[in-house]
């Protein structure tokens, strides 16, 4: 994207509400496009799709649509080739799949695992499988993870029918599950891990669901909120405990012993993002207004300091590293989205 040689290092967008969930598109034809979601503690919430205008080099809101309850996570379909319809998924009370076009956003399907009642156990997070975009996994406060199969039907008069079914549901933890993420190991389709309120990181294989592996347990049994796999080396993952100021790096080959602890933040960490193009760079973001980029090459020697620090104008709720343009990181704080050139 040529911004006429006057490329800024930071672009900012102000939303009409507090921003929490957000995600970069991976489609090559929509490079500076992000979806962001409101965090309003009531039923009526919003999702916006924003893009950077090449001419004005300003962010513009392309679409806004209503969403019941705040979204816990939002993700574009991990389809770098543009082979699938332009889909967006959100988790909250249910998993919803939306179709995005230039003129409208349409709800394609609502996936509810609890067919026999109106009660739903809220979804804390989900992940969309990069190797097979017909697979999604959700995590819930009811201690379960559900793996969904998605069908993208034939084009009927330009309408792709998207539907989904439960492939498997398993009790993943002893308490609430807070995050789920597919691993790139073993072909990238069958392995996933989850974290939860019982303070453990557990690894599963869809081919052998009768057992799981505990990779790590928090020494104080504090809930673990986030889990993030290294994008280049499937042996490494990062996690963080509730109200903790540090991020723990784990190696699945050495269970239960962190290979590194990143602890320069001065308030609780809210977000973790590995570099898409490098196995040794990771960004952490926290309530201390800081986004820190770390080089972890020298593990298992202690990593003292980050290599880059950016201070925002508020507590950073979320960080996302653009997978198709590795020199851009997005953060959100208060009602603002910022993209930073690294």
């Amino acid at each position: 994207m040529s911004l006429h040689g006057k490329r800024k290092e930071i672009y900012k967008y102000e939303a009409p509400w507090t921003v929490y969930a957000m995600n970069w598109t991976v489609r090559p034809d929509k490079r500076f496009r992000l979806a962001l979601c409101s965090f309003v503690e009531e039923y009526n919430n919003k999702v916006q799709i924003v893009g950077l205008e090449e001419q004005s080099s300003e962010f513009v809101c392309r679409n806004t649509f209503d969403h019941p309850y705040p979204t816990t996570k939002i993700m574009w379909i991990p389809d770098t080739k543009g082979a699938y319809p332009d889909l967006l998924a959100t988790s909250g009370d249910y998993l919803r799949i939306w179709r995005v076009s230039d003129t409208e956003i349409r709800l394609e399907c609502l996936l509810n695992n609890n067919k026999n009642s109106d009660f739903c156990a809220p979804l804390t997070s989900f992940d969309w499988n990069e190797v097979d975009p017909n697979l999604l996994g959700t995590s819930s406060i009811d201690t379960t993870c559900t793996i969904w199969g998605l069908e993208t039907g034939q084009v009927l008069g330009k309408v792709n029918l998207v539907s989904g079914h439960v492939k498997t549901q398993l009790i993943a933890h002893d308490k609430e599950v807070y995050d789920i993420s597919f691993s790139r190991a073993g072909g990238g389709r069958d392995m996933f891990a989850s974290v939860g309120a019982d303070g453990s990181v557990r690894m599963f294989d869809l081919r052998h669901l009768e057992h799981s592996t505990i990779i790590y347990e928090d020494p104080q049994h504090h809930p673990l909120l986030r889990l993030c796999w290294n994008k280049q080396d499937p042996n490494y993952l990062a996690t963080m405990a509730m109200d903790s100021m540090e991020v723990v790096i784990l190696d699945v080959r050495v269970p239960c012993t962190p290979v590194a602890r990143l602890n320069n933040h001065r308030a609780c960490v809210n977000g973790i993002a590995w570099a898409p193009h490098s196995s040794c760079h990771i960004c952490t973001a926290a309530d201390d207004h800081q986004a820190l980029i770390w080089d972890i090459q020298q593990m298992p020697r202690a990593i003292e300091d980050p290599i880059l620090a950016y201070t925002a104008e508020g507590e950073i709720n979320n960080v996302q590293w653009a997978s198709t343009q590795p020199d851009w990181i997005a953060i959100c704080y208060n009602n603002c989205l910022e993209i930073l050139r690294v």
Side-chain angles (χ1 to χ4, degrees):
M1 176 159 168
S2 62
L3 284 170
H4 315 299
K6 60 175 197 308
R7 196 89 166 268
K8 293 195 300 195
E9 301 297 305
I10 301 174
Y11 295 90
K12 183 174 179 178
Y13 174 75
E14 292 190 39
W17 20 254
T18 301
V19 182
Y20 175 63
M22 59 148 179
N23 190 239
W24 291 90
T25 187
V26 300
R27 282 175 81 100
D29 55 335
K30 309 267 190 200
R31 285 181 48 201
F32 284 85
R33 180 178 72 164
L34 295 102
L36 25 145
C37 311
S38 65
F39 184 86
V40 184
E41 292 189 47
E42 55 184 61
Y43 182 79
N44 296 316
N45 274 261
K46 300 279 185 194
V47 177
Q48 282 192 347
I49 291 165
V50 302
L52 200 57
E53 281 294 327
E54 214 169 318
Q55 265 33 64
S56 63
S57 71
E58 299 284 331
F59 267 115
V60 225
C61 176
R62 303 258 161 84
N63 289 91
T64 303
F65 61 96
D66 293 322
H67 194 282
Y69 304 107
T71 61
T72 50
K73 187 169 179 180
I74 188 162
M75 247 184 121
W76 295 92
I77 185 167
D79 168 29
T80 47
K81 300 193 173 59
Y84 290 80
D86 200 5
L87 299 178
L88 189 59
T90 56
S91 55
D93 50 348
Y94 301 110
L95 180 67
R96 291 176 174 80
I97 311 289
W98 310 81
R99 172 198 294 275
V100 178
S101 70
D102 292 336
T103 51
E104 61 164 3
I105 314 278
R106 203 176 69 230
L107 180 63
E108 284 283 317
C109 63
L110 181 148
L111 301 174
N112 169 19
N113 201 358
N114 207 337
K115 290 286 176 282
N116 52 7
S117 86
D118 296 334
F119 169 79
C120 67
L123 301 177
T124 49
S125 186
F126 74 96
D127 194 25
W128 207 325
N129 192 294
E130 290 179 11
V131 172
D132 180 0
N134 293 313
L135 277 183
L136 293 96
T138 55
S139 57
S140 169
I141 63 167
D142 67 4
T143 77
T144 68
C145 290
T146 303
I147 305 297
W148 298 86
L150 213 59
E151 289 82 43
T152 314
Q154 298 309 302
V155 178
L156 305 169
K158 292 223 165 117
V159 176
N160 278 60
L161 303 169
V162 178
S163 60
H165 66 279
V166 174
K167 283 181 100 70
T168 188
Q169 182 182 27
L170 56 127
I171 293 172
H173 288 262
D174 304 329
K175 296 180 178 173
E176 297 91 334
V177 191
Y178 288 138
D179 203 5
I180 180 173
S181 185
F182 287 105
S183 159
R184 290 192 175 184
R189 195 181 174 279
D190 297 295
M191 321 263 283
F192 66 94
S194 61
V195 292
D198 58 10
S200 68
V201 180
R202 302 194 186 197
M203 186 123 178
F204 300 87
D205 187 327
L206 289 173
R207 296 159 297 195
H208 309 286
L209 282 173
E210 61 282 357
H211 58 82
S212 66
T213 311
I214 293 184
I215 301 173
Y216 176 71
E217 290 188 290
D218 182 80
Q220 281 81 42
H221 301 289
H222 288 160
L224 298 176
L225 298 186
R226 287 283 164 268
L227 147 82
C228 211
W229 286 102
N230 186 306
K231 301 279 190 238
Q232 293 295 326
D233 185 338
N235 291 310
Y236 292 107
L237 71 152
T239 186
M240 64 192 211
M242 189 183 222
D243 299 329
S244 168
M245 293 191 261
E246 74 173 8
V247 169
V248 174
I249 310 283
L250 306 169
D251 181 337
V252 295
R253 297 162 298 190
V254 193
C256 300
T257 314
V259 280
R261 294 175 182 279
L262 310 179
N263 47 20
N264 268 46
H265 282 291
R266 293 185 296 278
C268 69
V269 179
N270 297 318
I272 307 169
W274 288 93
H277 59 309
S278 151
S279 62
C280 54
H281 291 94
I282 186 170
C283 182
T284 60
D287 271 0
D288 61 4
H289 300 202
Q290 293 216 303
L292 306 178
I293 294 180
W294 307 79
D295 182 343
I296 58 167
Q297 269 180 100
Q298 64 200 41
M299 289 187 317
R301 290 213 309 280
I303 289 128
E304 302 289 339
D305 291 306
I307 53 169
L308 268 175
Y310 174 75
T311 306
E313 291 164 20
E315 298 177 350
I316 303 177
N317 298 326
N318 204 331
V319 57
Q320 299 275 319
W321 204 319
S323 59
T324 48
Q325 338 174 65
D327 45 351
W328 289 95
I329 286 178
I331 59 168
C332 61
Y333 60 89
N334 302 335
N335 66 326
C336 298
L337 159 79
E338 281 184 348
I339 65 168
L340 318 169
R341 191 175 185 153
V342 294

